Amino acid sequence: MQKSRDPAPFHLAYSVADLGSTRDFYGRLLGCPEGRISETWVDFDFWGAQLSLHVGSYVEAQTESQVAGSHVPMPHFGAVVAW
């Protein structure tokens, strides 16, 4: 797995159908380096912005995904800031 450079201040998280085709499209076809990855989500460096793509289906009601032991709402848009 290629290490991503530090992410830009913003990221976008949304649901995808499966990680295999997602990694193929963003990684192989578009050339976006992968960052963190789990069995249910993958981060990409999207030309300086961070995409966090989670397996699931989009529904209008709020859904959640597990990230590092925490529940996060899906989809979401966030800011990456220093501690």
Side-chain angles (χ1 to χ4, degrees), residues 41-63:
W41 55 268
V42 60
D43 288 339
F44 284 98
D45 178 341
F46 191 71
W47 290 278
Q50 182 186 54
L51 286 182
S52 185
L53 308 176
H54 297 249
V55 174
S57 58
Y58 178 78
V59 292
E60 290 204 26
Q62 179 176 325
T63 59

Side-chain angles (χ1 to χ4, degrees), residues 1 8-9 11 13 17 19 21 23 27 30-31 35-36 39-40 43 60 69-71 75-76 78 82-83:
M1 177 170 55
H11 82 234
L19 289 185
S21 61
R23 292 174 76 191
L30 297 182
R36 297 182 308 162
E39 292 181 12
T40 59
D43 288 339
E60 290 204 26
S70 298
H71 293 281
H76 69 267
W83 285 104

Side-chain angles (χ1 to χ4, degrees), residues 70-81:
S70 298
H71 293 281
V72 295
M74 294 299 298
H76 69 267
F77 177 79
V80 178
V81 296

